[in-house]
Amino acid sequence: MKKNLKRNIHTIIAAIICPIFSSCLWILSEKESYVDDVVENKTDQHVLILGHSSKAVSYSKSLAIPAIPHIDSLSIEPNGQHCLDGYGRGDGCFEMRFERLLNDDYRRQYKYNDTVFFYYPYFDSVEIIFDNLRRIVIVNSDSLYGEFKELDEFWNANGRCDGGCNKKKGICKCTFNYFITDEMYNQAEPIQ
């Protein structure tokens, strides 16, 4: 009888302490954030998106090698889409930023003479080219500090994007959609 009472007390104590301990571990653990950026081409045109960067950061302080201008590209078939999946631990929720689609770290690092790496963190401009016939150019007026407000304003106009984040138990899942439309094609300037 005494053994059963002792065992029951230990079981009750364990039943109380285990949830408290596990919730403390959850609070102290890193939270994860997930983001899906999707560009959907709703036109019958092949779309090429070019991000132009002229300012680079060198990873080598000892060598002064001028950085060459760099272009990042994204190609989307007619009525197709491009999706970029990514996540970051402990980052919290993401903002809607089209630059993420062009600014992929793996495509942005360059090796020069096996010793110098360049990173192009800022865009000077972005071009959206439709079948090499028409284009829209968005110029960054503040590329020195990496803010590309004109690009964000472009996508926020006329329902060209939507999305948001859902946060549940410290995990944030975000989905942002960018739409390339016939209206954009019609407003694009002909390429001479």
Side-chain angles (χ1 to χ4, degrees):
M1 182 90 165
K2 223 175 187 184
K3 282 185 179 182
N4 284 340
L5 183 61
K6 252 185 175 179
R7 194 176 314 145
N8 288 340
I9 290 174
H10 288 202
T11 305
I12 292 170
I13 291 172
I16 292 172
I17 291 177
C18 282
I20 293 171
F21 182 70
S22 66
S23 65
C24 289
L25 286 176
W26 181 83
I27 289 171
L28 297 175
S29 69
E30 285 190 44
K31 308 302 182 279
E32 290 185 347
S33 302
Y34 299 88
V35 64
D36 290 329
D37 287 305
V38 180
V39 181
E40 189 175 336
N41 181 4
K42 294 183 170 190
T43 72
D44 294 331
Q45 314 296 320
H46 178 268
V47 173
L48 178 64
I49 301 174
L50 302 175
H52 300 273
S53 301
S54 61
K55 296 174 181 69
V57 176
S58 171
Y59 284 114
S60 172
K61 305 261 190 239
S62 61
L63 297 173
I65 298 171
I68 350 174
H70 177 71
I71 297 175
D72 278 314
S73 65
L74 180 64
S75 177
I76 307 168
E77 295 296 320
N79 299 303
Q81 69 177 19
H82 174 81
C83 182
L84 176 69
D85 303 324
Y87 76 95
R89 293 179 185 245
D91 286 345
C93 289
F94 289 88
E95 294 178 13
M96 183 172 268
R97 305 262 343 223
F98 185 81
E99 290 176 82
R100 257 192 314 268
L101 285 151
L102 292 171
N103 194 2
D104 182 6
D105 286 340
Y106 296 108
R107 290 186 290 169
R108 312 275 296 162
Q109 295 180 5
Y110 291 88
K111 201 171 190 179
Y112 185 82
N113 286 345
D114 294 329
T115 55
V116 180
F117 290 87
F118 290 115
Y119 176 66
Y120 292 81
Y122 310 126
F123 289 107
D124 301 316
S125 64
V126 169
E127 288 182 274
I128 302 170
I129 301 171
F130 298 90
D131 271 338
N132 220 16
L133 300 172
R134 301 170 81 82
R135 72 178 179 167
I136 296 172
V137 178
I138 303 124
V139 178
N140 187 353
S141 64
D142 195 16
S143 62
L144 181 63
Y145 298 105
E147 291 187 32
F148 201 161
K149 294 176 186 171
E150 294 84 0
L151 188 61
D152 295 332
E153 289 169 6
F154 172 81
W155 286 109
N156 286 323
N158 302 325
R160 293 177 180 158
C161 63
D162 73 5
C165 298
N166 293 323
K167 192 170 185 176
K168 186 175 182 182
K169 294 186 178 179
I171 297 173
C172 192
K173 294 183 180 180
C174 305
T175 302
F176 301 115
N177 299 298
Y178 303 90
F179 307 109
I180 298 172
T181 63
D182 287 325
E183 175 195 359
M184 291 167 63
Y185 173 77
N186 293 331
Q187 291 176 353
E189 295 180 12
I191 295 175
Q192 304 285 341

